[in-house]
Amino acid sequence: MRFFLFLLAFAFVSPTSSQEKQPNPKKDAPKVLYAMPLVAKPNEKQKITLRGKNLASVKEVKVTGIAGAKVKVLGAKAVAVPNNYPGERVGDSEVEIELELPKDAKLGAVTLAAVSDGGDSNAYTLLVRDDLPAVAEKEDNGGFDTAQPVSLPCALEGTIKSEKDVDVFKFEGKKGLKVRIEVQGARFGSPVDGCLTVYAADRTVIDSVDDANGSADPVLTVVLPRDGTYFIAMIDAHDLGGANFGYRLVVKAE
Ligand SMILES: [Ca+2]
Ligand SMILES: [Ca+2]
């Protein structure tokens, strides 16, 4: 927010704002914020909705960073932004595509750009599955008693489906095991601001992290103090949620 205010102040005092200096950026250029579902699968035909700004008139989506991808635009439309949600993070329009990535599509390498009469969008980096076993989150997993059992390593694909949704997972671990837990969400544009807490079997907190490495995505490393069951709880730091609040939760021993 401070950065935004600074930009606003700069635009006000300066006669040559960045918009005027650059010949091309049109104010109606599309912007891709995130994908729903957030995680794409290599080697599979899938429907993906890209949410962002000025996407309602998009006719074409380009894939870059990988050869052999197939993409088809299925439709585009404006969508409502709930009152209490940050529009710049949630987006006000979307384009639905059918995407088929080759099986060697790598996490971090595939980018998508939406094209309309307003120009080309940013290159959005798609979150693509890697070799970790992918596990879909299963509701209702909102408490210790209903925690979803998982085994390490895994990459959970979940959603903070509504306001105040809590996603709880549990795993068994041996004393001394170093476990790294990482959320991939905000860095791929998801509106989710993840916050992670790890609990021991007796439900006492071992550690909790909101943001890490300059991102809203938490990363947490714990050394297990004893043999037993451990719980991982994932929430949105602002208690917001929705079908578009997707995240990937990577849990593995180091
Ligand atoms: Ca959930
Ligand atoms: Ca956070």
Short mmCIF file of all heavy atoms in Angstrom, two decimals, residues 62-110:
data_model
loop_
_atom_site.label_atom_id
_atom_site.label_comp_id
_atom_site.label_asym_id
_atom_site.label_seq_id
_atom_site.Cartn_x
_atom_site.Cartn_y
_atom_site.Cartn_z
N LYS A 62 -1.85 -16.52 -25.23
CA LYS A 62 -0.60 -17.09 -25.74
C LYS A 62 0.12 -17.83 -24.63
O LYS A 62 0.15 -17.37 -23.49
CB LYS A 62 0.32 -15.97 -26.23
CG LYS A 62 -0.16 -15.18 -27.42
CD LYS A 62 0.89 -14.11 -27.72
CE LYS A 62 0.35 -13.05 -28.66
NZ LYS A 62 1.22 -11.87 -28.70
N VAL A 63 0.74 -18.94 -24.98
CA VAL A 63 1.58 -19.68 -24.03
C VAL A 63 3.03 -19.49 -24.46
O VAL A 63 3.36 -19.68 -25.62
CB VAL A 63 1.26 -21.19 -24.04
CG1 VAL A 63 2.06 -21.91 -22.96
CG2 VAL A 63 -0.22 -21.43 -23.85
N THR A 64 3.87 -19.11 -23.52
CA THR A 64 5.29 -18.99 -23.84
C THR A 64 6.10 -19.78 -22.82
O THR A 64 5.59 -20.17 -21.77
CB THR A 64 5.76 -17.52 -23.83
OG1 THR A 64 5.34 -16.92 -22.61
CG2 THR A 64 5.18 -16.75 -24.99
N GLY A 65 7.35 -20.01 -23.12
CA GLY A 65 8.24 -20.71 -22.20
C GLY A 65 8.28 -22.21 -22.42
O GLY A 65 9.09 -22.91 -21.80
N ILE A 66 7.42 -22.71 -23.29
CA ILE A 66 7.41 -24.15 -23.55
C ILE A 66 6.88 -24.40 -24.96
O ILE A 66 5.96 -23.70 -25.41
CB ILE A 66 6.57 -24.89 -22.50
CG1 ILE A 66 6.68 -26.40 -22.70
CG2 ILE A 66 5.10 -24.49 -22.55
CD1 ILE A 66 6.70 -27.16 -21.43
N ALA A 67 7.48 -25.39 -25.62
CA ALA A 67 7.01 -25.73 -26.97
C ALA A 67 5.94 -26.80 -26.88
O ALA A 67 5.94 -27.61 -25.96
CB ALA A 67 8.19 -26.23 -27.81
N GLY A 68 5.01 -26.78 -27.81
CA GLY A 68 4.04 -27.86 -27.90
C GLY A 68 2.80 -27.71 -27.06
O GLY A 68 2.01 -28.65 -26.98
N ALA A 69 2.60 -26.56 -26.43
CA ALA A 69 1.38 -26.37 -25.63
C ALA A 69 0.23 -26.02 -26.57
O ALA A 69 0.42 -25.37 -27.60
CB ALA A 69 1.59 -25.25 -24.62
N LYS A 70 -0.97 -26.48 -26.20
CA LYS A 70 -2.16 -26.14 -27.00
C LYS A 70 -3.11 -25.35 -26.12
O LYS A 70 -3.37 -25.72 -24.98
CB LYS A 70 -2.87 -27.41 -27.47
CG LYS A 70 -2.07 -28.21 -28.48
CD LYS A 70 -2.84 -29.47 -28.85
CE LYS A 70 -1.91 -30.49 -29.48
NZ LYS A 70 -2.35 -31.87 -29.25
N VAL A 71 -3.62 -24.25 -26.67
CA VAL A 71 -4.53 -23.43 -25.88
C VAL A 71 -5.68 -22.95 -26.76
O VAL A 71 -5.50 -22.65 -27.93
CB VAL A 71 -3.77 -22.24 -25.23
CG1 VAL A 71 -3.15 -21.34 -26.27
CG2 VAL A 71 -4.66 -21.46 -24.28
N LYS A 72 -6.87 -22.94 -26.18
CA LYS A 72 -8.06 -22.49 -26.89
C LYS A 72 -8.88 -21.63 -25.93
O LYS A 72 -9.09 -22.01 -24.78
CB LYS A 72 -8.86 -23.73 -27.31
CG LYS A 72 -10.01 -23.44 -28.24
CD LYS A 72 -10.49 -24.72 -28.92
CE LYS A 72 -11.42 -25.51 -28.04
NZ LYS A 72 -11.92 -26.75 -28.65
N VAL A 73 -9.33 -20.47 -26.41
CA VAL A 73 -10.18 -19.61 -25.57
C VAL A 73 -11.63 -20.10 -25.67
O VAL A 73 -12.17 -20.27 -26.76
CB VAL A 73 -10.07 -18.13 -26.01
CG1 VAL A 73 -11.10 -17.28 -25.29
CG2 VAL A 73 -8.67 -17.61 -25.75
N LEU A 74 -12.24 -20.34 -24.51
CA LEU A 74 -13.62 -20.84 -24.48
C LEU A 74 -14.64 -19.73 -24.24
O LEU A 74 -15.78 -19.84 -24.66
CB LEU A 74 -13.76 -21.90 -23.37
CG LEU A 74 -12.84 -23.12 -23.49
CD1 LEU A 74 -13.01 -24.02 -22.27
CD2 LEU A 74 -13.11 -23.89 -24.76
N GLY A 75 -14.21 -18.67 -23.56
CA GLY A 75 -15.14 -17.58 -23.29
C GLY A 75 -14.52 -16.57 -22.34
O GLY A 75 -13.52 -16.87 -21.69
N ALA A 76 -15.13 -15.38 -22.28
CA ALA A 76 -14.62 -14.34 -21.39
C ALA A 76 -15.78 -13.49 -20.90
O ALA A 76 -16.78 -13.35 -21.61
CB ALA A 76 -13.59 -13.47 -22.12
N LYS A 77 -15.66 -12.98 -19.68
CA LYS A 77 -16.76 -12.17 -19.14
C LYS A 77 -16.30 -11.33 -17.95
O LYS A 77 -15.25 -11.59 -17.36
CB LYS A 77 -17.91 -13.08 -18.70
CG LYS A 77 -17.54 -14.01 -17.57
CD LYS A 77 -18.69 -14.91 -17.17
CE LYS A 77 -18.26 -15.80 -16.01
NZ LYS A 77 -19.19 -16.84 -15.67
N ALA A 78 -17.11 -10.34 -17.61
CA ALA A 78 -16.87 -9.55 -16.40
C ALA A 78 -17.41 -10.33 -15.21
O ALA A 78 -18.37 -11.10 -15.35
CB ALA A 78 -17.58 -8.21 -16.52
N VAL A 79 -16.79 -10.17 -14.05
CA VAL A 79 -17.28 -10.81 -12.82
C VAL A 79 -17.36 -9.77 -11.70
O VAL A 79 -16.62 -8.79 -11.71
CB VAL A 79 -16.38 -11.99 -12.38
CG1 VAL A 79 -16.48 -13.15 -13.34
CG2 VAL A 79 -14.93 -11.55 -12.21
N ALA A 80 -18.26 -10.00 -10.77
CA ALA A 80 -18.45 -9.05 -9.68
C ALA A 80 -17.36 -9.23 -8.62
O ALA A 80 -16.92 -10.34 -8.35
CB ALA A 80 -19.82 -9.25 -9.05
N VAL A 81 -16.93 -8.12 -8.04
CA VAL A 81 -15.99 -8.16 -6.92
C VAL A 81 -16.77 -7.89 -5.64
O VAL A 81 -17.41 -6.85 -5.52
CB VAL A 81 -14.89 -7.08 -7.08
CG1 VAL A 81 -13.88 -7.16 -5.93
CG2 VAL A 81 -14.20 -7.23 -8.42
N PRO A 82 -16.73 -8.82 -4.67
CA PRO A 82 -17.44 -8.54 -3.41
C PRO A 82 -16.91 -7.27 -2.75
O PRO A 82 -15.73 -6.95 -2.87
CB PRO A 82 -17.12 -9.77 -2.55
CG PRO A 82 -16.67 -10.83 -3.51
CD PRO A 82 -16.06 -10.11 -4.67
N ASN A 83 -17.80 -6.55 -2.07
CA ASN A 83 -17.48 -5.23 -1.51
C ASN A 83 -16.23 -5.18 -0.65
O ASN A 83 -15.45 -4.26 -0.73
CB ASN A 83 -18.65 -4.76 -0.63
CG ASN A 83 -19.77 -4.23 -1.48
OD1 ASN A 83 -19.53 -3.86 -2.63
ND2 ASN A 83 -20.97 -4.21 -0.95
N ASN A 84 -16.06 -6.18 0.22
CA ASN A 84 -14.98 -6.10 1.19
C ASN A 84 -13.69 -6.72 0.68
O ASN A 84 -12.78 -6.98 1.44
CB ASN A 84 -15.40 -6.80 2.50
CG ASN A 84 -15.85 -8.23 2.27
OD1 ASN A 84 -16.34 -8.55 1.20
ND2 ASN A 84 -15.69 -9.08 3.27
N TYR A 85 -13.60 -6.97 -0.65
CA TYR A 85 -12.42 -7.65 -1.19
C TYR A 85 -11.55 -6.68 -1.98
O TYR A 85 -12.07 -5.77 -2.63
CB TYR A 85 -12.83 -8.82 -2.08
CG TYR A 85 -13.27 -10.01 -1.25
CD1 TYR A 85 -14.40 -9.95 -0.46
CD2 TYR A 85 -12.52 -11.17 -1.23
CE1 TYR A 85 -14.78 -11.01 0.32
CE2 TYR A 85 -12.88 -12.25 -0.45
CZ TYR A 85 -14.02 -12.17 0.32
OH TYR A 85 -14.37 -13.22 1.11
N PRO A 86 -10.24 -6.86 -1.92
CA PRO A 86 -9.35 -5.95 -2.66
C PRO A 86 -9.40 -6.23 -4.16
O PRO A 86 -8.91 -7.26 -4.63
CB PRO A 86 -7.97 -6.29 -2.08
CG PRO A 86 -8.08 -7.67 -1.55
CD PRO A 86 -9.52 -7.90 -1.19
N GLY A 87 -10.06 -5.34 -4.91
CA GLY A 87 -10.29 -5.54 -6.35
C GLY A 87 -9.00 -5.72 -7.13
O GLY A 87 -8.94 -6.47 -8.09
N GLU A 88 -7.93 -5.04 -6.69
CA GLU A 88 -6.68 -5.13 -7.45
C GLU A 88 -6.05 -6.52 -7.30
O GLU A 88 -5.22 -6.92 -8.10
CB GLU A 88 -5.70 -4.02 -7.04
CG GLU A 88 -5.04 -4.15 -5.68
CD GLU A 88 -5.92 -3.68 -4.52
OE1 GLU A 88 -7.11 -3.33 -4.73
OE2 GLU A 88 -5.42 -3.69 -3.39
N ARG A 89 -6.44 -7.26 -6.26
CA ARG A 89 -5.91 -8.62 -6.10
C ARG A 89 -6.89 -9.69 -6.57
O ARG A 89 -6.49 -10.80 -6.89
CB ARG A 89 -5.57 -8.88 -4.61
CG ARG A 89 -4.28 -8.25 -4.16
CD ARG A 89 -3.72 -8.95 -2.94
NE ARG A 89 -4.48 -8.67 -1.75
CZ ARG A 89 -4.89 -9.62 -0.90
NH1 ARG A 89 -4.61 -10.88 -1.13
NH2 ARG A 89 -5.57 -9.30 0.15
N VAL A 90 -8.18 -9.36 -6.57
CA VAL A 90 -9.19 -10.37 -6.90
C VAL A 90 -9.52 -10.36 -8.40
O VAL A 90 -9.75 -11.41 -8.99
CB VAL A 90 -10.47 -10.12 -6.06
CG1 VAL A 90 -11.59 -11.02 -6.49
CG2 VAL A 90 -10.16 -10.35 -4.58
N GLY A 91 -9.49 -9.18 -9.01
CA GLY A 91 -9.80 -9.07 -10.43
C GLY A 91 -11.28 -8.86 -10.67
O GLY A 91 -12.11 -9.21 -9.84
N ASP A 92 -11.62 -8.30 -11.86
CA ASP A 92 -13.02 -7.98 -12.16
C ASP A 92 -13.51 -8.65 -13.44
O ASP A 92 -14.58 -8.35 -13.94
CB ASP A 92 -13.19 -6.47 -12.25
CG ASP A 92 -12.34 -5.86 -13.35
OD1 ASP A 92 -11.74 -6.61 -14.14
OD2 ASP A 92 -12.28 -4.62 -13.43
N SER A 93 -12.69 -9.54 -14.00
CA SER A 93 -13.09 -10.20 -15.25
C SER A 93 -12.27 -11.47 -15.41
O SER A 93 -11.27 -11.67 -14.70
CB SER A 93 -12.85 -9.26 -16.44
OG SER A 93 -11.55 -8.70 -16.38
N GLU A 94 -12.72 -12.32 -16.34
CA GLU A 94 -12.01 -13.59 -16.50
C GLU A 94 -12.12 -14.11 -17.92
O GLU A 94 -13.04 -13.74 -18.66
CB GLU A 94 -12.55 -14.62 -15.51
CG GLU A 94 -14.01 -14.98 -15.71
CD GLU A 94 -14.56 -15.90 -14.62
OE1 GLU A 94 -14.11 -15.81 -13.46
OE2 GLU A 94 -15.46 -16.70 -14.94
N VAL A 95 -11.18 -14.96 -18.27
CA VAL A 95 -11.23 -15.66 -19.56
C VAL A 95 -10.99 -17.14 -19.27
O VAL A 95 -10.11 -17.49 -18.50
CB VAL A 95 -10.20 -15.07 -20.57
CG1 VAL A 95 -8.78 -15.08 -20.02
CG2 VAL A 95 -10.25 -15.84 -21.88
N GLU A 96 -11.85 -17.95 -19.88
CA GLU A 96 -11.71 -19.40 -19.67
C GLU A 96 -11.00 -20.01 -20.87
O GLU A 96 -11.32 -19.69 -22.02
CB GLU A 96 -13.08 -20.05 -19.49
CG GLU A 96 -12.96 -21.50 -19.04
CD GLU A 96 -14.29 -22.25 -18.95
OE1 GLU A 96 -15.27 -21.80 -19.58
OE2 GLU A 96 -14.33 -23.27 -18.27
N ILE A 97 -10.03 -20.86 -20.58
CA ILE A 97 -9.29 -21.51 -21.67
C ILE A 97 -9.26 -23.02 -21.48
O ILE A 97 -9.47 -23.53 -20.37
CB ILE A 97 -7.82 -21.00 -21.75
CG1 ILE A 97 -7.08 -21.24 -20.42
CG2 ILE A 97 -7.77 -19.54 -22.12
CD1 ILE A 97 -5.58 -20.97 -20.49
N GLU A 98 -9.03 -23.69 -22.58
CA GLU A 98 -8.70 -25.11 -22.52
C GLU A 98 -7.21 -25.19 -22.81
O GLU A 98 -6.76 -24.66 -23.83
CB GLU A 98 -9.50 -25.89 -23.56
CG GLU A 98 -9.33 -27.38 -23.48
CD GLU A 98 -10.17 -28.06 -24.55
OE1 GLU A 98 -9.69 -28.14 -25.71
OE2 GLU A 98 -11.29 -28.48 -24.24
N LEU A 99 -6.48 -25.82 -21.91
CA LEU A 99 -5.02 -25.82 -22.02
C LEU A 99 -4.50 -27.23 -21.96
O LEU A 99 -4.92 -28.04 -21.13
CB LEU A 99 -4.42 -25.00 -20.86
CG LEU A 99 -2.91 -24.92 -20.78
CD1 LEU A 99 -2.33 -24.12 -21.95
CD2 LEU A 99 -2.47 -24.30 -19.46
N GLU A 100 -3.59 -27.54 -22.86
CA GLU A 100 -2.92 -28.84 -22.81
C GLU A 100 -1.42 -28.59 -22.85
O GLU A 100 -0.89 -28.08 -23.83
CB GLU A 100 -3.37 -29.70 -24.01
CG GLU A 100 -2.95 -31.14 -23.86
CD GLU A 100 -3.58 -32.04 -24.94
OE1 GLU A 100 -4.40 -31.55 -25.74
OE2 GLU A 100 -3.24 -33.23 -24.96
N LEU A 101 -0.76 -28.91 -21.74
CA LEU A 101 0.68 -28.71 -21.63
C LEU A 101 1.39 -30.02 -21.92
O LEU A 101 0.91 -31.09 -21.54
CB LEU A 101 1.05 -28.25 -20.22
CG LEU A 101 0.50 -26.90 -19.77
CD1 LEU A 101 0.78 -26.69 -18.28
CD2 LEU A 101 1.11 -25.77 -20.58
N PRO A 102 2.55 -29.97 -22.56
CA PRO A 102 3.32 -31.20 -22.75
C PRO A 102 3.79 -31.75 -21.40
O PRO A 102 3.81 -31.03 -20.40
CB PRO A 102 4.51 -30.75 -23.60
CG PRO A 102 4.58 -29.28 -23.46
CD PRO A 102 3.22 -28.79 -23.10
N LYS A 103 4.18 -33.02 -21.38
CA LYS A 103 4.47 -33.63 -20.09
C LYS A 103 5.76 -33.11 -19.45
O LYS A 103 5.97 -33.28 -18.25
CB LYS A 103 4.45 -35.15 -20.16
CG LYS A 103 5.54 -35.81 -20.98
CD LYS A 103 5.47 -37.32 -20.70
CE LYS A 103 6.59 -38.08 -21.37
NZ LYS A 103 6.32 -38.41 -22.76
N ASP A 104 6.61 -32.45 -20.23
CA ASP A 104 7.83 -31.91 -19.63
C ASP A 104 7.67 -30.45 -19.19
O ASP A 104 8.65 -29.76 -18.93
CB ASP A 104 9.01 -32.04 -20.61
CG ASP A 104 8.77 -31.29 -21.91
OD1 ASP A 104 7.59 -30.94 -22.19
OD2 ASP A 104 9.73 -31.05 -22.65
N ALA A 105 6.42 -29.98 -19.07
CA ALA A 105 6.19 -28.61 -18.58
C ALA A 105 6.70 -28.48 -17.15
O ALA A 105 6.36 -29.29 -16.30
CB ALA A 105 4.70 -28.28 -18.64
N LYS A 106 7.53 -27.49 -16.91
CA LYS A 106 8.18 -27.35 -15.61
C LYS A 106 7.61 -26.17 -14.82
O LYS A 106 7.29 -25.14 -15.39
CB LYS A 106 9.69 -27.11 -15.79
CG LYS A 106 10.44 -28.30 -16.35
CD LYS A 106 10.75 -29.31 -15.26
CE LYS A 106 11.59 -30.47 -15.75
NZ LYS A 106 10.95 -31.27 -16.80
N LEU A 107 7.56 -26.36 -13.52
CA LEU A 107 7.11 -25.30 -12.62
C LEU A 107 7.99 -24.07 -12.82
O LEU A 107 9.22 -24.17 -12.77
CB LEU A 107 7.23 -25.82 -11.17
CG LEU A 107 6.40 -25.14 -10.10
CD1 LEU A 107 6.34 -26.03 -8.86
CD2 LEU A 107 6.92 -23.79 -9.72
N GLY A 108 7.35 -22.94 -13.05
CA GLY A 108 8.10 -21.69 -13.18
C GLY A 108 8.44 -21.31 -14.61
O GLY A 108 8.83 -20.18 -14.87
N ALA A 109 8.27 -22.25 -15.53
CA ALA A 109 8.71 -21.98 -16.91
C ALA A 109 7.57 -21.57 -17.84
O ALA A 109 7.81 -20.94 -18.86
CB ALA A 109 9.39 -23.22 -17.48
N VAL A 110 6.34 -21.93 -17.50
CA VAL A 110 5.23 -21.70 -18.42
C VAL A 110 4.56 -20.36 -18.11
O VAL A 110 4.14 -20.12 -16.98
CB VAL A 110 4.19 -22.83 -18.31
CG1 VAL A 110 3.05 -22.61 -19.30
CG2 VAL A 110 4.85 -24.18 -18.52
#
